[in-house]
Amino acid sequence: MKKPKKVLYFYAIVMVMAGMLAGCGGKTNDGAADDDLKNNSDSAAKETAAESKDDDGIDTSKEGSAQSKSESTPSENSAGDKEEKGTLSQYSSQQIEYARVWLQLGPNQNFDELYVRHIPAGTPLNPEDETSAGYPEDVIQLAGSRLADGSVTYSGNGDGTINVYNVPLRWDGQYPAGEKFYSDIIENTKQISIEPGEDEKVIELIEKLIEE
């Protein structure tokens, strides 16, 4: 009678262990299923990112397109064009020199037109006086459209300085004045360093230049 009880007891233990092993196996399968889902999700994300790029590797997604558009806008291009137009680079060195000289030495800054006259060496300082000495070098005479605007007569040295001749736009007085009078003017020319000045004001003067 005792032997059947032992058999039943042993059978019960086997069944319990089998149930425990089945539970562990189920848990393992569930974990593997979770890993598969995670791997599939990562693969889908990578494929989506790859599709958002073209053959050259350029991001064609909406976010990438928005960034490209923000890097270059019409307003920025327009600002660059205006900046270029508002610089001295579009004018010649002679034009810049004329404007700077007048900006620094011109008697009147409020005028309509600024005339530029090139006077060759040997030209009499006062064409109305036969005793007048001639300019020893080529000079430039800047003058406004009105007599009251005054004038500046000078020669450039090519180093940012000029030689200023103290001659009027119109000669008044008694003539002949004699050669010494004109020789003194030539010998007493003043060498002046020309300042760059403000670009905006220089450009305004350049726009009023008229070369004869």
Side-chain angles (χ1 to χ4, degrees):
M1 296 297 291
K2 293 181 180 180
K3 186 174 181 181
K5 290 182 179 180
K6 291 181 179 180
V7 173
L8 293 174
Y9 178 74
F10 177 76
Y11 181 76
I13 292 174
V14 171
M15 293 297 294
V16 170
M17 292 180 66
M20 292 176 64
L21 291 174
C24 292
K27 182 178 180 182
T28 302
N29 291 336
D30 292 342
D34 292 340
D35 291 340
D36 291 340
L37 290 174
K38 182 178 180 181
N39 291 335
N40 291 337
S41 178
D42 292 341
S43 298
K46 291 180 180 180
E47 291 177 359
T48 301
E51 291 175 356
S52 66
K53 295 184 179 181
D54 60 13
D55 294 337
D56 296 330
I58 300 175
D59 192 354
T60 57
S61 63
K62 293 182 179 180
E63 183 177 354
S65 300
Q67 183 177 0
S68 300
K69 291 181 180 180
S70 64
E71 290 176 353
S72 178
T73 60
S75 60
E76 290 178 351
N77 294 335
S78 299
D81 294 341
K82 291 180 180 179
E83 184 178 353
E84 179 65 23
K85 292 180 180 179
T87 62
L88 293 176
S89 60
Q90 58 183 319
Y91 302 105
S92 68
S93 58
Q94 290 82 7
Q95 290 175 316
I96 295 173
E97 177 187 284
Y98 304 151
R100 285 175 173 171
V101 169
W102 189 267
L103 184 62
Q104 184 172 334
L105 303 175
N108 182 24
Q109 299 295 321
N110 185 18
F111 57 89
D112 298 327
E113 297 172 331
L114 182 62
Y115 291 89
V116 181
R117 180 187 175 197
H118 297 269
I119 302 176
T123 302
L125 274 69
N126 183 2
E128 304 299 326
D129 188 349
E130 60 183 10
T131 64
S132 173
Y135 288 102
E137 57 186 341
D138 295 343
V139 298
I140 297 170
Q141 186 178 74
L142 305 176
S145 56
R146 301 168 299 180
L147 187 62
D149 294 332
S151 64
V152 178
T153 304
Y154 73 96
S155 64
N157 296 319
D159 58 357
T161 66
I162 61 174
N163 302 317
V164 180
Y165 290 79
N166 187 23
V167 296
L169 183 60
R170 185 177 67 184
W171 294 86
D172 293 325
Q174 295 180 354
Y175 303 104
E179 292 184 7
K180 186 178 184 307
F181 173 78
Y182 298 103
S183 296
D184 288 343
I185 293 176
I186 296 173
E187 293 175 1
N188 291 297
T189 58
K190 293 182 179 181
Q191 187 178 78
I192 297 177
S193 296
I194 298 301
E195 301 296 331
E198 297 180 11
D199 288 359
E200 291 183 0
K201 292 183 178 180
V202 171
I203 292 174
E204 288 179 3
L205 289 175
I206 291 177
E207 297 298 330
K208 297 180 180 181
L209 291 175
I210 298 178
E211 295 197 44
E212 296 182 347

